[in-house]
Amino acid sequence: MTATPTLREISCADDYDPNSMAVDRARELIRQFLTPVSATERVHVRAALDRVLAEDLVSPIAVPGHDNSAMDGWAVRFADLASERDTELARVGDSFAGKPHRGAIGPGQAVRIFTGGVMPAGADTVVMQERATEIPGGVRIAAGAVLKQGQLVFRRGQPVRPAELGMIASLGINEVTVYRRLRVAFFSTGDELRAVGTPLAKGEIYDSNRYTLHGMLTRLNCDTVDMGVIPDVPDALERAFATAAANADVVITSGGVSVGDADFVKPLLGKLGEVLFWKIAMKPGRPLAYGKIGGAHFFGLPGNPVAVMVTFYEFVRDALLVLQGRQDIAPMPTFKATLAAPIRKLPGRTEFQRGILTPSVGGGFEVRTTGDQGSGILSSMSQANCFIVLSAATGNVAAGETVDVQPLEGLI
Ligand code: AMP
Ligand code: MG
């Protein structure tokens, strides 16, 4: 095993080109520096929604265990069930509601049971019929159809979604250990930016990036620290970076990393930490800075509103999931759709065009762009329900060709 390289070592590697960094390469580099939070807290099961389990959860009970069956299935002896392979049992009778099976069941035996049927003597578990297959003279029960006491239910790193909440509750567990929430500080940079609620002078625009960031971070269940707009003034920026890094696990800024700006932001961040400035071979979202300021991870996103959202979803989101303690993060699903209208593109950069995906008449899906792909046109993100992902090598694409799409639902 090799030790994690430092940021400085990375910037000396042979295939390192800060002026044309491939999307995958940038993701890979960032990944090497991410260590999940370690602090945990005990929370009530209800409060665990959207958190990440910090412990393995084992079943404290054998489920289910009733006198009357709550479902149609097979009454069995729990001890007979193998967890690693299917179990075959002999059918020795039936138990209907109001018409119980008279005898007891012994080892290797089962009784067909229906909702409301009394559990026969000797049986302690009902396997729902969907998990069982009737065979001549008996039943075959799928391995793992019933949770055994002490059986691993979820591993550490499991995100808690509605299904996991229900599973945890079904085991009678009312408190779980989860990782603490990530604290993320963010601010916008730019002399031209005004906060909403104030009038605009000539040449000024409203700051929208802090709002998309607030939304994206809140959806990921982060604690947020909104630090407002910081003007393009070195002293003010230096103070803001230092305060943000001292108070958060992650610092995210927008603007100020494009060519001219970076000229003075770069030395400033060099003083406070170790930050790499990349021109990612993607569109939108060319300039991106990543590094450490003190103990905090830093993402310097471009200023253009669409670029902020695309770089957040393609780089920051995954990084936050890792830092939150998530294990085995699956890449966002991509699938194929038929292009409904041609797309013009130059090879060289990966493009994330905003697309509208609709079912095709003949089955499958077709996709078209939202129209003008300018990186300042935030309405494209609002209209889109997917990214059309065009690889760096791709050039013009004709109508009828197949393209990769990444649905936004689930991502956002
Ligand atoms: P920059 O990367 O700072 O050169 O910004 C690129 C473009 O994005 C400029 O047109 C900025 O005015 C615009 N921009 C930068 N920050 C924001 C923001 N917070 N909200 C809206 N537009 C912004
Ligand atoms: Mg700017």
Side-chain angles (χ1 to χ4, degrees):
M1 224 184 94
T2 52
T4 305
T6 63
L7 281 159
R8 226 178 288 282
E9 279 163 359
I10 277 182
S11 58
C12 294
D14 286 346
D15 59 344
Y16 179 80
D17 179 1
N19 291 315
S20 177
M21 175 72 71
V23 172
D24 290 341
R25 181 81 174 113
R27 274 199 198 112
E28 231 171 66
L29 292 178
I30 293 170
R31 193 66 172 254
Q32 299 178 47
F33 293 92
L34 305 173
T35 314
V37 294
S38 52
T40 63
E41 54 188 317
R42 293 284 290 174
V43 297
H44 185 267
V45 58
R46 204 185 281 278
L49 183 63
D50 288 337
R51 304 291 291 269
V52 179
L53 288 180
E55 60 179 349
D56 289 345
L57 272 193
V58 295
S59 171
I61 53 166
V63 284
H66 296 286
D67 291 338
N68 283 75
S69 183
M71 56 195 169
D72 293 345
W74 296 83
V76 304
R77 293 157 30 99
F78 188 82
D80 282 349
L81 302 178
S83 56
E84 306 301 328
R85 58 190 154 73
D86 293 357
T87 305
E88 290 189 2
L89 301 170
R91 178 181 190 160
V92 294
D94 302 311
S95 176
F96 297 94
K99 190 165 174 272
H101 172 70
R102 296 289 169 206
I105 69 166
Q109 297 181 337
V111 159
R112 183 79 170 102
I113 195 166
F114 298 92
T115 305
V118 176
M119 287 290 276
D124 55 8
T125 298
V126 177
V127 177
M128 68 170 92
Q129 64 187 14
E130 290 77 8
R131 296 299 190 92
T133 313
E134 200 168 339
I135 54 173
V139 62
R140 182 185 307 120
I141 293 163
V146 176
L147 288 172
K148 293 197 171 183
Q149 201 168 346
Q151 187 177 325
L152 184 66
V153 181
F154 294 125
R155 284 191 193 288
R156 184 169 59 89
Q158 168 74 43
V160 183
R161 299 162 301 180
E164 285 78 28
L165 280 190
M167 278 285 284
I168 293 167
S170 74
L171 299 173
I173 297 172
N174 67 347
E175 262 192 7
V176 289
T177 305
V178 295
Y179 289 110
R180 73 164 172 83
R181 288 166 64 163
L182 272 188
R183 212 170 146 77
V184 182
F186 58 97
F187 57 86
S188 297
T189 70
D191 288 336
E192 77 283 20
L193 303 176
R194 286 291 161 270
V196 294
T198 55
L200 289 184
K202 199 170 158 43
E204 294 180 341
I205 58 169
Y206 286 115
D207 171 10
S208 59
N209 291 344
R210 272 189 306 127
Y211 291 84
T212 48
L213 280 170
H214 162 81
M216 296 187 291
L217 290 165
T218 303
R219 283 285 183 91
L220 291 175
N221 206 18
C222 295
D223 276 334
T224 54
V225 186
D226 181 344
M227 296 177 58
V229 178
I230 309 295
D232 294 314
V233 174
D235 278 354
L237 283 167
E238 181 170 347
R239 275 195 306 275
F241 280 121
T243 307
N247 289 293
D249 302 297
V250 179
V251 178
I252 302 176
T253 63
S254 70
V257 287
S258 45
V259 179
D261 295 324
D263 294 345
F264 79 89
V265 176
K266 235 181 194 171
L268 202 140
L269 285 174
K271 196 165 116 187
L272 295 171
E274 243 194 315
V275 176
L276 302 173
F277 286 74
W278 296 327
K279 288 198 189 73
I280 308 282
M282 70 187 276
K283 194 178 168 184
R286 204 151 143 78
L288 182 82
Y290 168 73
K292 297 291 292 274
I293 307 175
H297 294 272
F298 168 65
F299 291 91
L301 308 184
N304 274 309
V306 180
V308 166
M309 296 194 75
V310 174
T311 49
F312 184 94
Y313 289 129
E314 298 301 325
F315 300 105
V316 185
R317 179 181 177 275
D318 261 21
L320 294 178
L321 296 182
V322 172
L323 294 173
Q324 285 174 336
R326 289 270 296 264
Q327 304 267 346
D328 309 325
I329 299 160
M332 283 308 296
T334 298
F335 67 90
K336 306 273 183 203
T338 306
L339 198 57
I343 292 182
R344 293 175 62 79
K345 177 186 180 293
L346 290 172
R349 298 202 242 164
T350 305
E351 291 198 14
F352 296 89
Q353 299 214 355
R354 277 71 69 209
I356 301 171
L357 193 61
T358 49
S360 305
V361 186
F365 282 87
E366 61 180 35
V367 68
R368 64 186 69 238
T369 69
T370 55
D372 193 340
Q373 296 290 306
S375 61
I377 305 171
L378 201 49
S379 58
S380 70
M381 277 301 296
S382 175
Q383 286 161 18
N385 61 5
C386 69
F387 285 136
I388 303 171
V389 185
L390 303 169
S391 72
T394 303
N396 290 340
V397 196
E401 284 193 51
T402 298
V403 288
D404 287 330
V405 296
Q406 198 176 49
L408 296 183
E409 201 55 54
L411 182 67
I412 68 177

